[in-house]
Amino acid sequence: MSSTVSPTSGFWKRNQQRLAPWLFLAPGMIMFAIYVIIPIFQSIWISFYDWDGLGPKTWIGVANYVELLDDEAFYTSLKNNILWLVLYLLAVPAGLAVALFLNQTVAGIRLYKSLFFFPFVISQVVVGLIFTWFYAPDFGLLSALIKTLTGHSIAILADERYVTLGIIAAGLWPQIAYCMILYLTGLNNINPEQVEAARMDGARGWSLLWHIILPQLGPATFIAIVVTVIGALRSFDLVSIMTDGGPYGSSRVLSFYMYEQALSEYGYRMGYGAAIAVVLFMIMMIFITLFIVRMLMRERHA
Amino acid sequence: MISFKAATGLVLGYALTMSAAFAGELVINSDQSDPAPKKAMETLLEGFKTAHPDVTVKWNNFDHEGYKSAIRNFLTADAPDVVAWYSGNRMAPFVKAGLFEDVTDLWTENKLDDQLKSAVKSMEIDGKKWGIPYSYYQWGIYYRKDIFAEQGITPPKNWAELVAACEKLKTAGITPFAIGTKALWPTGGWFDYLNLRVNGYEFHMDLTAGKVPYTDPKVKAVFEKWAELVKPGYFLENHAAIDWQDAIPQFVQGKAAMYLMGNFAVAAMKDGGLKDDQIGFLQFPEITAGIPMAEDAPTESFHIPSGAKNKEDARKFLAYLATPEAQTKMNEVLGQLPVNNQSAKSEDPFLKAGFEMLANAYALAQFYDRDAPAEMAKVGMEGFQQFMVKPDNVDAILERLEKARGRIYK
């Protein structure tokens, strides 16, 4: 850098103030462009082709999207994605409940906290395997329990009615832990004077929680919802580990279907996979836009 | 994708600069990650080194599942000299994309058309040969001899006897057939055999080649036979939740009495504690009388990528692989059947039975997911699995398969 700041370079001196921020931003922006922005447009571009990844590409216009509209498997995935989105959000209130429960000073509370936090630390693959065994017919704990209670066993992961619910339940375990941590941090920052003042005014229990605590947890709630929504939309690993999309494709979600079509052993329809990815991207865009608009409004108010 | 292309270019550039330094080195990529195949490959390589001491072999052994996607990358980016792959329709995309080398000359030079006769059809595309097969294995019904004796069942020879045997077992509280369909492909074995026995080899090949609609009444007839086993509950319950290995314990514990599988299942059954005399092997019984019996016998093979740098030594390797001696030694370790008909015969009772069956077979099918294109196989086997859970949905399933057929075979 020292050579560019030499007295001979008048240009740099004149524009230093204006250029410096861009120079600092450049590495990040280049990375972001290469790994995020350009691939997005490439995906959109590939989605108009019929391509197996090896041979020549053939332009087929919107044919991939037309086919999607008439594809049963696509609707199954879409339906499951919505189910994921709705049920996964249970992690937010559940995380809050656990956080409120753990936000007290008793002997050994650190141990309890880490036990609750544990599922978030272990890999999703391990979570998936644990729950697969938990659900396994014949020797799984849950099926054994159901059998003693009702007399007949249910193979959750082989039944199209329960399979997605079973996977979501597995996903909620680490997600609740994540939301809990977010709320625990939030609870630490609560203004004790406000709580005291509210108590003096006679607020207790639910009204204290609703009117005093929750408003102060706003930022934590916001982040918790954002990460949960994104987590629900990119749910892939658990589906892949626990069922591989089965039985007969009934537990697929969009991200898994995209992978299956474009990259799996029986797939290699890059164009079709890209079209699914574009649809998933559009759905994500709705949420991302909402969040960004909200964030900008907040900044303006602040 | 730009970054991918750049990376490919880098790898390619690197490979080009490196290749000069390693002339005379033979690079082999394969997926023999399981213990027996790995040992068999080591045996083969040792034999090759003795026969050709001037060639240094570099063997990259991949994980079995990862290999299936890795091969697409290394064939286009940095091709080795020899690759393991499957015959039939599974190699068609690579052949059509010009990624495999035509090795018809090897076959003519070494008179392999005669020695590897049983695999000629599966190695041929557009009248040329694209690799050398070295091993295959039979499919059939493995059954518990002791349970059959206990229940007074003689090995069924035709469909009526098979259904009667199932009924008897079911009444005795034993599930007739073990199966685990989580990975989908075990359902393909059932469809293959039912179709081969109901409609015959030619129809099966026409169907997997996309020439016949899935809504054809002949296909429907196959599912009607299948329903005769599915509806009374002759298959393991919850099969969609388990893999084929998970069904083995049921067979070993005597909770299930039969298993339609490839010969590799015998090793797993013996590991589970069964003795040779407890396991019997049974050719899939006749359904439509008079139809010549064809069998499923998936073949394993090696190929030369068209981008290979050392094709001369690669040809030497494939020529060695084709010899009866090499195939005898390798398959002894592998516990499978050599393709070369001049190889020494195995003493293993199951391999002997399999050899006899295949030698007299009318024709050999590769397996549903190798005979049909990969995409069709996926949709098809998913439909088979659904049928095995919900046999009443057969019409909806067949319509879905037909729709997929219309799209996939253009």
Side-chain angles (χ1 to χ4, degrees):
Chain A
M1 272 295 165
S2 59
S3 63
T4 43
V5 202
S6 64
T8 45
S9 103
F11 175 77
W12 173 248
K13 262 208 164 141
R14 263 180 285 123
N15 296 298
Q16 191 180 16
Q17 288 286 331
R18 236 156 19 92
L19 286 180
W22 291 107
L23 281 178
F24 281 111
L25 278 175
M29 284 172 72
I30 291 170
M31 288 289 191
F32 194 65
I34 290 179
Y35 292 109
V36 180
I37 304 293
I38 297 173
I40 287 175
F41 286 103
Q42 278 179 322
S43 291
I44 296 172
W45 177 66
I46 291 174
S47 75
F48 296 118
Y49 284 91
D50 180 23
W51 185 37
D52 67 354
L54 290 176
K57 290 194 197 83
T58 338
W59 174 269
I60 51 167
V62 291
N64 281 327
Y65 294 94
V66 174
E67 196 190 322
L68 264 187
L69 287 179
D70 191 31
D71 186 348
E72 240 180 87
F74 171 69
Y75 288 111
T76 313
S77 320
L78 195 63
K79 197 196 85 196
N80 283 338
N81 251 132
I82 293 169
L83 205 60
W84 265 90
L85 206 55
V86 175
L87 293 181
Y88 218 46
L89 280 174
L90 289 178
V92 178
L96 176 64
V98 177
L100 289 171
F101 171 64
L102 288 178
N103 193 40
Q104 44 187 318
T105 34
V106 228
I109 192 71
R110 270 160 200 270
L111 177 69
Y112 302 134
K113 277 184 188 169
S114 38
L115 284 179
F116 273 94
F117 189 54
F118 169 72
F120 183 67
V121 180
I122 56 178
S123 145
Q124 292 264 313
V125 176
V126 178
V127 172
L129 283 177
I130 291 175
F131 269 80
T132 309
W133 291 327
F134 182 55
Y135 293 145
D138 300 321
F139 66 87
L141 268 181
L142 184 75
S143 34
L145 185 72
I146 290 177
K147 196 160 187 178
T148 43
L149 287 180
T150 63
H152 50 86
S153 67
I154 302 172
I156 291 185
L157 295 183
D159 193 315
E160 62 172 34
R161 288 168 298 174
Y162 309 124
V163 61
T164 299
L165 300 178
I167 303 173
I168 296 174
L172 277 176
W173 190 40
Q175 193 64 26
I176 287 174
Y178 193 9
C179 292
M180 176 201 82
I181 280 294
L182 291 173
Y183 277 122
L184 275 178
T185 329
L187 285 170
N188 272 339
N189 296 330
I190 278 196
N191 187 346
E193 284 169 20
Q194 268 190 33
V195 178
E196 203 144 311
R199 276 193 200 282
M200 281 167 129
D201 288 342
R204 328 197 65 229
W206 286 110
S207 63
L208 181 73
L209 175 69
W210 189 254
H211 295 290
I212 306 299
I213 309 283
L214 270 189
Q216 294 193 57
L217 287 176
T221 310
F222 179 66
I223 297 290
I225 291 177
V226 172
V227 294
T228 308
V229 165
I230 292 174
L233 285 173
R234 41 164 236 190
S235 48
F236 171 87
D237 25 20
L238 285 176
V239 176
S240 174
I241 292 293
M242 293 176 71
T243 62
D244 221 4
Y248 38 90
S250 44
S251 65
R252 281 191 191 109
V253 288
L254 284 176
S255 53
F256 186 78
Y257 191 40
M258 170 197 77
Y259 159 80
E260 243 183 9
Q261 287 294 323
L263 301 161
S264 77
E265 186 190 347
Y266 298 114
Y268 301 118
R269 298 180 70 201
M270 296 294 173
Y272 199 58
I276 301 168
V278 170
V279 172
L280 185 60
F281 174 66
M282 294 300 175
I283 299 173
M284 284 203 177
M285 260 332 257
I286 299 173
F287 290 98
I288 294 171
T289 318
L290 278 178
F291 294 140
I292 290 179
V293 167
R294 219 195 111 139
M295 239 151 72
L296 286 177
M297 291 210 331
R298 277 193 165 203
E299 268 172 28
R300 231 164 265 161
H301 285 300
Chain B
M1 267 305 167
I2 274 187
S3 56
F4 171 70
K5 267 181 200 156
T8 309
L10 266 178
V11 172
L12 200 64
Y14 181 69
L16 285 175
T17 50
M18 293 306 282
S19 61
F22 286 116
E25 188 187 63
L26 182 71
V27 183
I28 302 176
N29 284 10
S30 75
D31 58 338
Q32 275 114 342
S33 50
D34 292 326
K38 192 175 167 201
K39 215 169 149 228
M41 185 69 185
E42 279 160 5
T43 318
L44 176 75
L45 290 181
E46 249 164 55
F48 179 69
K49 267 174 213 162
T50 329
H52 298 275
D54 51 320
V55 185
T56 6
V57 177
K58 190 177 169 238
W59 174 36
N60 304 313
N61 197 6
F62 286 71
D63 159 70
H64 188 60
E65 294 303 320
Y67 188 74
K68 291 168 186 165
S69 30
I71 188 171
R72 295 172 62 92
N73 291 342
F74 63 66
L75 278 184
T76 44
D78 180 20
D81 303 311
V82 173
V83 294
W85 194 236
Y86 311 99
S87 46
N89 232 316
R90 262 302 173 86
M91 68 175 178
F94 297 144
V95 172
K96 300 251 157 77
L99 292 171
F100 275 180
E101 173 104 346
D102 171 13
V103 292
T104 318
D105 54 316
L106 266 177
W107 284 68
T108 353
E109 259 169 50
N110 299 299
K111 302 191 179 58
L112 297 179
D113 285 292
D114 191 43
Q115 293 180 30
L116 307 177
K117 204 170 155 196
S118 62
V120 169
K121 267 191 193 163
S122 51
M123 299 310 301
E124 233 172 27
I125 292 180
D126 299 333
K128 292 173 188 156
K129 310 228 172 36
W130 302 95
I132 297 285
Y134 63 91
S135 175
Y136 64 163
Y137 54 89
Q138 80 269 21
W139 270 66
I141 298 176
Y142 294 86
Y143 66 96
R144 285 287 300 271
K145 266 188 185 167
D146 44 348
I147 297 179
F148 268 41
E150 242 168 62
Q151 302 294 330
I153 302 169
T154 46
K157 289 263 181 297
N158 56 43
W159 185 251
E161 285 176 28
L162 182 73
V163 175
C166 288
E167 209 185 320
K168 211 165 188 179
L169 287 164
K170 184 82 182 173
T171 346
I174 301 163
T175 310
F177 280 105
I179 188 170
T181 64
K182 189 178 175 189
L184 297 179
W185 59 262
T187 61
W190 271 98
F191 178 76
D192 279 355
Y193 267 108
L194 287 166
N195 197 22
L196 287 171
R197 293 289 182 267
V198 172
N199 296 314
Y201 177 77
E202 279 76 15
F203 182 83
H204 184 64
M205 284 297 130
D206 282 350
L207 184 74
T208 48
K211 290 177 197 155
V212 192
Y214 276 85
T215 41
D216 193 289
K218 282 177 132 181
V219 181
K220 188 82 192 284
V222 171
F223 283 86
E224 272 159 20
K225 287 288 169 208
W226 204 343
E228 286 177 33
L229 301 182
V230 174
K231 283 187 178 164
Y234 292 164
F235 290 101
L236 217 56
E237 213 188 350
N238 299 328
H239 56 79
I242 59 177
D243 275 321
W244 76 268
Q245 297 97 327
D246 306 331
I248 293 274
Q250 306 269 345
F251 185 83
V252 171
Q253 292 161 19
K255 289 180 191 161
M258 291 182 272
Y259 205 160
L260 175 68
M261 254 296 143
N263 193 56
F264 53 83
V266 173
M269 291 167 183
K270 284 189 192 162
D271 283 345
L274 290 181
K275 302 269 171 322
D276 260 351
D277 57 355
Q278 285 177 293
I279 313 170
F281 176 72
L282 172 68
Q283 185 176 23
F284 199 94
E286 184 179 72
I287 299 180
T288 307
I291 282 188
M293 307 274 246
E295 311 292 336
D296 257 350
T299 311
E300 331 242 302
S301 47
F302 275 104
H303 310 260
I304 304 179
S306 48
K309 282 146 231 132
N310 190 356
K311 286 182 187 171
E312 196 190 324
D313 287 335
R315 282 196 147 72
K316 275 187 206 160
F317 179 77
L318 289 202
Y320 174 77
L321 179 74
T323 58
E325 299 79 39
Q327 298 210 348
T328 306
K329 265 198 232 158
M330 193 175 181
N331 283 287
E332 240 166 52
V333 184
L334 213 49
Q336 294 183 179
L337 295 164
V339 179
N340 193 312
N341 51 24
Q342 288 166 15
S343 310
K345 289 187 189 68
S346 167
E347 286 305 308
D348 179 85
F350 299 102
L351 286 179
K352 256 184 167 170
F355 180 80
E356 259 160 51
M357 182 179 83
L358 295 181
N360 296 316
Y362 168 69
L364 298 182
Q366 283 300 308
F367 198 75
Y368 185 75
D369 71 351
R370 298 189 192 181
D371 287 326
E375 272 179 77
M376 188 65 229
K378 168 86 182 171
V379 183
M381 295 187 307
E382 226 167 70
F384 304 157
Q385 190 195 35
Q386 188 177 3
F387 174 78
M388 290 188 72
V389 179
K390 294 182 155 183
D392 293 325
N393 288 6
V394 60
D395 290 314
I397 294 169
L398 289 180
E399 249 158 57
R400 197 172 69 224
L401 297 200
E402 177 54 20
K403 204 167 103 187
R405 185 189 74 97
R407 172 173 62 73
I408 292 162
Y409 305 86
K410 270 177 222 147

